[in-house]
Amino acid sequence: MTAVIDSLSNDLSSIVFGNPQAWYLLLAVPVIILIFWNSWRKERNLYKALHQRGKKFAKRYVILAVIISVMISSLSAIAAQPEIVEYMPARVPPKRSCIMLIDVSNSMEAWDNVHDKTNLEVAADTAWEVIKGLSPARCQIFAYSGAFLDISEFTDDYKHLYDTLYTSFYTEYSGPVPERGSDLPNALRRISNWLQHEEYEGITKIILLSDGNIGENQGPLLEEAIRQVTNKGLSIVPVGIGSLEGQRIHRYNIRGELLGYAMANGVPRVFYLEEANLKKIAGLTGERYFHQSESEALIEYLLESDSLGKTSFEKGEVLSRQDYSWIFLIPLTLSFAILLWRRKELY
């Protein structure tokens, strides 16, 4: 998050003037021009001057008017006391937010041979990549199996979010998951009610990370829950976790040695990524489906969405001031030097 704040340094500096009233001196410039024009117009022997030395007289008055105007402008700028002031970013909550709902049912224990991790661990990694990609942001992590689980706080404390993900979803830690059952309809109803609280104002997307294994008897309940979600102005962005080729749940002993696989009716159970279910959820809520391998595309899609709000930093305490009035001494000095150098020709 520090890098993100550093990248906003240009937005946290501004040009200020210690004495802005000094700019009123610039009103003298058109007066000076008018005086020189009037003097030239009333020059004695005007017709003779026009025929013999008109161009020379005109050039003299123009040069004098320009030099004196530059001098007055430079004096005005110096008197205005221009400074570039840099501010510390104020400690304000970032407006960008993300809400994640992670499937922690038993099927998510299936083993991902490509990443050498369980699907639950892959889901944790994907969630963390998205959180980092949206930084700075406040995020909250929910989970569901047979029950609805509030896993983390709604916070921009990335250490808390990181620790929560890896202690809850990685097998070497003792976390509250995985759990029996899978009740996505109940989770959607609960989370849609949760997001009606004032602190979640502006959030309209729920990021669902799941293998899409939904019980056949949950079809009508799921559709009803999705209607409730959409009626509250929310939508669901599903992220598929798993493999279309099928995966097994590995069983290990305390030494980490493979004992076998989770069995059903004497044969190893195989779990598949049910993309059709997840794509249906996306379609019903007007969103896109993403696979776990498309985390960068998912982040880009979320960043382009107004539903996440925009990052906002306010100006805090003054960090430094740099006086730049000395720069205007250069044109002032040069103008004065020209007046002295060409004084015989100009006046």
Side-chain angles (χ1 to χ4, degrees):
M1 186 177 293
T2 302
V4 176
I5 293 176
D6 290 342
S7 70
L8 296 173
S9 58
N10 291 334
D11 297 328
L12 297 176
S13 62
S14 60
I15 298 175
V16 299
F17 298 96
N19 182 27
Q21 293 82 3
W23 288 114
Y24 288 117
L25 291 174
L26 292 177
L27 296 175
V29 172
V31 176
I32 294 296
I33 294 173
L34 183 61
I35 290 173
F36 277 100
W37 177 80
N38 192 54
S39 298
W40 180 84
R41 190 172 60 87
K42 294 181 178 180
E43 180 73 32
R44 292 179 181 180
N45 303 319
L46 178 59
Y47 291 102
K48 183 179 178 180
L50 286 173
H51 287 287
Q52 297 180 7
R53 294 187 298 164
K55 292 184 179 179
K56 183 176 180 180
F57 275 112
K59 181 179 179 180
R60 184 186 74 175
Y61 284 115
V62 169
I63 292 175
L64 277 173
V66 169
I67 289 176
I68 294 177
S69 297
V70 169
M71 293 178 70
I72 293 175
S73 299
S74 299
L75 286 171
S76 300
I78 293 170
Q81 302 173 13
E83 296 178 319
I84 293 183
V85 180
E86 294 186 4
Y87 301 88
M88 288 289 291
R91 180 66 176 176
V92 296
K95 292 182 180 178
R96 186 182 296 145
S97 307
C98 69
I99 301 298
M100 293 191 174
L101 178 60
I102 301 178
D103 181 356
V104 296
S105 58
N106 282 337
S107 62
M108 292 291 284
E109 284 189 283
W111 197 262
D112 186 324
N113 293 320
V114 175
H115 298 90
D116 199 30
K117 297 177 179 180
T118 67
N119 284 339
L120 200 53
E121 293 169 341
V122 173
D125 290 345
T126 304
W128 179 241
E129 287 300 315
V130 172
I131 290 172
K132 288 192 300 180
L134 297 178
S135 66
R138 289 182 299 172
C139 296
Q140 187 163 8
I141 303 163
F142 297 93
Y144 74 94
S145 53
F148 177 70
L149 305 171
D150 174 17
I151 299 295
S152 80
E153 300 175 2
F154 186 40
T155 179
D156 60 350
D157 182 347
Y158 278 28
K159 185 179 186 304
H160 166 74
L161 294 169
Y162 179 88
D163 290 344
T164 298
L165 280 170
Y166 287 93
T167 55
S168 297
F169 302 135
Y170 263 68
T171 54
E172 61 261 37
Y173 299 103
S174 57
V177 293
E179 298 286 346
R180 291 180 177 273
S182 177
D183 194 348
L184 179 58
N186 174 61
L188 291 177
R189 286 192 297 269
R190 293 282 300 276
I191 201 170
S192 63
N193 291 331
W194 198 296
L195 295 183
Q196 300 308 301
H197 296 160
E198 184 177 355
E199 63 179 321
Y200 301 100
E201 182 179 0
I203 298 176
T204 63
K205 294 186 188 298
I206 302 167
I207 304 170
L208 170 65
L209 296 95
S210 172
D211 61 7
N213 279 279
I214 302 167
E216 294 180 0
N217 60 339
Q218 292 188 15
L221 294 175
L222 180 58
E223 291 182 5
E224 177 59 33
I226 289 175
R227 277 194 293 271
Q228 180 177 334
V229 166
T230 56
N231 288 340
K232 293 184 177 180
L234 301 170
S235 61
I236 304 167
V237 182
V239 181
I241 307 294
S243 169
L244 295 172
E245 286 74 32
Q247 299 164 312
R248 299 174 180 178
I249 296 178
H250 294 189
R251 297 301 186 201
Y252 296 90
N253 60 22
I254 58 173
R255 294 187 297 275
E257 298 170 340
L258 180 63
L259 297 177
Y261 304 100
M263 309 292 286
N265 300 322
V267 296
R269 296 188 66 185
V270 179
F271 296 92
Y272 298 89
L273 170 59
E274 302 291 346
E275 282 191 327
N277 291 336
L278 298 175
K279 289 179 179 179
K280 181 179 180 181
I281 292 173
L284 289 173
T285 63
E287 289 292 352
R288 285 178 54 186
Y289 164 79
F290 294 86
H291 185 257
Q292 66 187 45
S293 61
E294 299 176 301
S295 57
E296 291 185 5
L298 170 61
I299 292 167
E300 183 178 353
Y301 176 73
L302 294 172
L303 288 174
E304 292 174 351
S305 169
D306 291 337
S307 66
L308 295 175
K310 296 181 179 179
T311 305
S312 176
F313 286 93
E314 297 176 357
K315 293 176 180 178
E317 297 180 0
V318 173
L319 181 63
S320 66
R321 291 179 177 270
Q322 293 182 333
D323 183 9
Y324 281 88
S325 58
W326 60 269
I327 291 178
F328 297 96
L329 288 172
I330 298 173
L332 177 63
T333 304
L334 289 175
S335 300
F336 187 70
I338 292 172
L339 276 179
L340 292 178
W341 177 40
R342 307 299 295 270
R343 62 185 181 278
K344 292 182 179 180
E345 300 176 19
L346 296 176
Y347 50 88

